[in-house]
Amino acid sequence: MRIKALNRETYEKIAAGEVIDRPASIVRELIDNSLDAEADQIRLSLTEGGKSLIQIHDNGFGMTKEDLEICFLKHTTSKIKEFEDIYKSISLGFRGEALNSISIVSELEICSKTNENDVGNCIKIKEGKLLDISETAFNTGTNIKVKNLFFNLPVRRKSLKSDTAEFRQIKDVFIQKSIPFYDRNFILTHNGKEVYNSNKSENPLKRIELFYSKDVRSHLIEIEQEFKEFTIHGYISESNYFKPNKKYQHVFVNQRPIFSGALSHAMNSAYEGICPIGQHPLAFIFIQMNPELTDVNIHPTKREIKLLIEKELYHGLYHLIKEAVTRTFSIPTLQIHDPPVKEAMREYYQSKGSNHDPTFQFDYSQNNQKSFQSKLDTSPVEYDQSTYKILGVLFHTYILLEKEAEFFILDQHAAHERLEYEKIKAKLKDKNISSQGLLTPFVIDFSEDEFTIVSNNLTELKSLGYDLEIFGESSFSVNAIPFFIKDDKVKENIEKLTEDILDNKTVPDPLKFIDESLKMKACKTAVKSGDSLSYSEIEYLLKELMTYPNPFACPHGRPTALKMSRTEIEKMFLRI
Ligand code: ADP
Ligand code: MG
């Protein structure tokens, strides 16, 4: 016989390792415990990235002597009594394994006192065994010291990263935990130096400023809406403020930081057409909902939770953000950042003593009339000169405009692309996307999973313009596709569609899904940079563009226009 039961010491260490893999995971568990104990002051002190000491002192309701004697044993918890309670409770912990796991892999000391008792008690535990218990004078609350982490697991200890790297991870946990609990005081100290002291506050903004920056805070827009089954409150990026990574995107459900692929997708999609490729919007989203609509028991560290109304949350979040972003969209300001250029300009104009006036000329010559009838319909339009005055075209690419005390540079390709995109989108608004039948239907194969999902969504797919028919055990024959998809892109498009369905477990919003194809189509139809446009073509473009929301963002997220105020120009010429 080859199978043997592991001895207790071995399996305990293995089990502990699942919960506690590094100092940051201890910090996460201990902060959760202090929050569950209703502490409103939580002081976290660390030495050497938490490797030699993690200490957390809270003013929560504390533990009695009897509680202390058992709190570190396996599956001991005060938070639930039976399994179903986890769906009702909003406590952060409930498995009763954190203190047990920590006690197995470190030297643990806990001192605690409740309001009902005059004195407190301290316990010392090593490798899961109680070494000592004694009475002590102590204020109501709990102080936990975790020393010499992994002293009995040398390989695990060795695999820890540098103090700085471990501390960085702890800092992330500290930030994630304290942002949603902005009404409590959190203090973080490392090697005796205070890193953060975040006072109680009425909203998370002060905390966001402390952890990220003033700049970040000043570029956030507040969103809030009550839905039938949940409320969403949060702060999101202004429409021209992005970061090159997703570290600034946080979602909290009932104050618990979570990762959700679907909600992350919703946030990013809401910025589509505005956020440049490679950049990401910022978002701090706080969702409150009945805990019975979530299952927090699906992930060992509860980082992911199951959202039973994910689809509703997806739509709610997407539309709320989209609406706010569209409402606050603004044109990027043209700035001369490079000080040497600015300096050089200043010197030049000062030395000339001139008010050099490089007037932009509009070229009405014949070759300019090489018309773009095919691309821009230039039937006479009533163009209100009082809005935007056309000054000319620069490099056959940039339309120069003046409006009141502002000067604009409009990228003709981006602008026309936006117009085309909006026009196609408007046509599709009724969601009745017309199909084109295929002369020779073709067959595509799917894995079992994909096949099930796709076959459950055939009606939805039809509304997107796809006519698929089950053909054999795991294949479909494709009979028709939406009109805007080119024949040679069908396979690729359907694969992407199924990927999307698999990721989000639902058929995407038709308009959103076809967005990519629409953008490509708009991009292809639009006039290019270098194409000469006639005056009436420009007038037409402007007039039409102004009838749509976001006229100054191209669907790919690049700006359509740059703007400069008269004051800014005058400043550069040292007139003011
Ligand atoms: P869980 O949090 O899942 O209940 P833990 O092992 O983290 O399990 O903690 C065990 C028990 O110890 C908790 O249920 C709680 O009663 C008690 N406890 C732990 N930390 C604290 C604290 N800081 N203040 C008060 N009680 C605590
Ligand atoms: Mg706990």
Side-chain angles (χ1 to χ4, degrees):
M1 191 157 129
R2 284 178 300 168
I3 302 178
K4 290 195 180 72
L6 294 173
N7 65 33
R8 189 176 145 173
E9 200 188 331
T10 310
Y11 73 65
E12 277 184 343
K13 279 184 183 168
I14 293 173
E18 281 171 23
V19 188
I20 303 302
D21 60 345
R22 53 182 356 104
S25 45
I26 296 192
V27 168
R28 179 184 298 115
E29 294 294 338
L30 296 183
I31 295 182
D32 277 357
N33 282 346
S34 298
L35 290 168
D36 282 343
E38 294 169 12
D40 69 357
Q41 187 176 66
I42 296 172
R43 184 183 286 274
L44 176 66
S45 322
L46 310 148
T47 6
E48 296 170 347
K51 291 178 202 168
S52 47
L53 175 72
I54 299 169
Q55 180 175 358
I56 187 161
H57 190 166
D58 71 48
N59 64 350
F61 50 58
M63 285 179 271
T64 61
K65 187 175 178 214
E66 293 72 33
D67 288 335
L68 276 172
E69 281 168 345
I70 59 164
C71 68
F72 63 94
L73 297 178
K74 196 180 289 179
H75 312 310
T76 49
T77 179
S78 55
K79 298 170 194 171
I80 59 167
K81 289 201 171 62
E82 54 189 33
F83 182 73
E84 274 63 37
D85 293 346
I86 68 168
Y87 299 109
K88 296 179 201 131
S89 140
I90 51 158
S91 68
L92 299 164
F94 53 78
R95 294 196 185 119
E97 58 187 6
L99 288 185
N100 177 254
S101 301
I102 298 169
S103 79
I104 288 167
V105 296
S106 69
E107 293 167 21
L108 182 62
E109 267 180 54
I110 309 177
C111 297
S112 196
K113 185 185 97 66
T114 63
N115 245 341
E116 294 73 44
N117 294 312
D118 297 331
V119 289
N121 293 277
C122 284
I123 54 168
K124 284 189 180 162
I125 310 136
K126 192 170 179 180
E127 295 195 89
K129 291 178 194 76
L130 182 65
L131 301 181
D132 186 44
I133 180 161
S134 57
E135 272 194 356
T136 180
F138 202 71
N139 286 333
T140 299
T142 304
N143 185 24
I144 299 188
K145 289 186 190 170
V146 181
K147 296 188 203 160
N148 295 329
L149 179 62
F150 300 138
F151 73 94
N152 52 354
L153 292 171
V155 178
R156 176 66 62 96
R157 180 151 182 114
K158 255 201 180 137
S159 72
L160 291 178
K161 301 210 173 85
S162 69
D163 293 1
T164 327
E166 293 297 340
F167 179 64
R168 203 177 313 124
Q169 298 209 18
I170 293 176
K171 217 161 76 172
D172 285 347
V173 170
F174 181 87
I175 290 173
Q176 276 189 343
K177 287 289 164 190
S178 55
I179 286 180
F181 288 93
Y182 49 82
D183 56 345
R184 323 218 190 169
N185 178 206
F186 283 77
I187 301 162
L188 174 64
T189 316
H190 188 211
N191 293 333
K193 228 177 98 197
E194 191 173 283
V195 183
Y196 292 128
N197 184 345
S198 53
N199 285 318
K200 293 180 191 177
S201 165
E202 267 145 35
N203 61 49
L205 281 173
K206 273 206 183 115
R207 230 151 253 205
I208 293 173
E209 177 176 329
L210 175 72
F211 299 143
Y212 297 104
S213 67
K214 243 199 172 99
D215 193 48
V216 163
R217 175 184 171 160
S218 66
H219 286 98
L220 296 175
I221 332 169
E222 187 167 6
I223 51 169
E224 184 156 30
Q225 193 170 335
E226 213 169 289
F227 296 84
K228 201 168 126 242
E229 288 169 306
F230 52 90
T231 61
I232 299 180
H233 173 235
Y235 303 90
I236 55 163
S237 276
E238 282 174 356
S239 54
N240 54 5
Y241 191 77
F242 303 105
K243 293 281 179 188
N245 58 55
K246 290 191 183 174
K247 273 187 87 171
Y248 297 79
Q249 298 186 348
H250 296 268
V251 179
F252 304 93
V253 173
N254 295 338
Q255 295 176 293
R256 185 192 291 278
I258 61 142
F259 173 79
S260 151
L263 297 189
S264 165
H265 193 264
M267 291 192 281
N268 292 307
S269 313
Y271 281 86
E272 245 175 32
I274 284 178
C275 179
I277 291 160
Q279 298 279 307
H280 304 276
L282 291 74
F284 299 88
I285 306 294
F286 306 91
I287 298 172
Q288 289 294 332
M289 58 199 269
N290 183 339
E292 290 186 30
L293 294 172
T294 68
D295 186 351
V296 286
N297 198 29
I298 59 157
H299 192 268
T301 61
K302 310 181 192 101
R303 193 174 102 86
E304 286 188 38
I305 68 177
K306 192 166 175 179
L307 300 163
L308 305 183
I309 48 166
E310 190 172 65
K311 219 170 157 180
E312 289 82 350
L313 284 164
Y314 184 104
H315 283 282
L317 188 59
Y318 173 79
H319 289 293
L320 184 56
I321 298 184
K322 180 103 187 158
E323 189 276 320
V325 171
T326 313
R327 183 167 32 87
T328 58
F329 183 80
S330 67
I331 312 165
T333 313
L334 179 69
Q335 279 173 345
I336 297 191
H337 285 295
D338 189 359
V341 174
K342 224 173 175 175
E343 213 44 58
M345 280 177 72
R346 180 176 310 186
E347 268 172 35
Y348 175 77
Y349 287 112
Q350 266 174 355
S351 72
K352 287 245 162 184
S354 93
N355 53 352
H356 177 72
D357 176 20
T359 318
F360 299 108
Q361 298 292 338
F362 188 67
D363 180 6
Y364 287 99
S365 65
Q366 267 308 308
N367 62 359
N368 222 11
Q369 300 304 323
K370 181 169 73 115
S371 191
F372 281 84
Q373 301 290 4
S374 57
K375 291 180 175 174
L376 279 177
D377 165 16
T378 57
S379 41
V381 287
E382 288 214 357
Y383 176 64
D384 180 3
Q385 285 274 358
S386 65
T387 47
Y388 290 88
K389 188 170 148 205
I390 303 168
L391 303 175
V393 182
L394 187 64
F395 311 136
H396 291 296
T397 301
Y398 303 104
I399 301 168
L400 307 175
L401 302 169
E402 178 187 339
K403 183 191 173 196
E404 286 150 22
E406 284 175 324
F407 166 61
F408 295 82
I409 305 181
L410 190 70
D411 177 328
Q412 65 182 41
H413 170 71
H416 190 205
E417 190 182 20
R418 176 99 223 159
L419 179 59
E420 284 299 311
Y421 170 74
E422 294 294 353
K423 276 162 89 180
I424 315 175
K425 232 167 79 167
K427 265 195 221 155
L428 295 174
K429 263 267 147 60
D430 59 2
K431 293 193 183 176
N432 261 334
I433 297 164
S434 48
S435 270
Q436 46 176 337
L438 295 178
L439 282 178
T440 40
F442 65 92
V443 174
I444 38 174
D445 284 323
F446 286 110
S447 72
E448 212 173 293
D449 271 9
E450 290 168 332
F451 181 79
T452 318
I453 291 182
V454 176
S455 41
N456 286 341
N457 287 296
L458 288 178
T459 326
E460 279 90 343
L461 287 169
K462 199 140 202 175
S463 73
L464 281 172
Y466 297 90
D467 180 13
L468 304 189
E469 201 181 319
I470 294 178
F471 189 85
E473 264 181 30
S474 61
S475 355
F476 294 94
S477 99
V478 182
N479 302 329
I481 52 170
F483 75 92
F484 53 84
I485 294 176
K486 277 185 142 182
D487 283 8
D488 60 337
K489 291 273 181 249
V490 174
K491 238 185 190 133
E492 197 182 303
N493 183 272
I494 292 193
E495 269 161 20
K496 175 150 190 321
L497 179 69
T498 39
E499 245 172 57
D500 237 57
I501 300 177
L502 284 173
D503 281 355
N504 301 303
K505 309 280 184 293
T506 63
V507 171
D509 180 332
L511 278 180
K512 246 179 73 266
F513 177 71
I514 57 174
D515 227 31
E516 263 319 299
S517 318
L518 292 190
K519 282 178 198 163
M520 289 309 295
K521 195 175 166 74
C523 182
K524 291 224 177 77
T525 357
V527 294
K528 302 284 170 300
S529 73
D531 287 351
S532 299
L533 296 188
S534 72
Y535 192 84
S536 48
E537 283 172 328
I538 296 175
E539 277 187 333
Y540 168 83
L541 179 61
L542 283 173
K543 181 181 172 262
E544 288 287 291
L545 204 56
M546 295 309 152
T547 61
Y548 292 104
N550 290 348
F552 286 136
C554 98
H556 286 106
R558 282 192 296 115
T560 308
L562 298 175
K563 120 184 136 179
M564 214 178 200
S565 70
R566 182 182 181 137
T567 324
E568 282 160 333
I569 295 175
E570 288 183 340
K571 263 192 204 152
M572 281 193 284
F573 285 107
L574 303 180
R575 281 174 174 271
I576 48 172

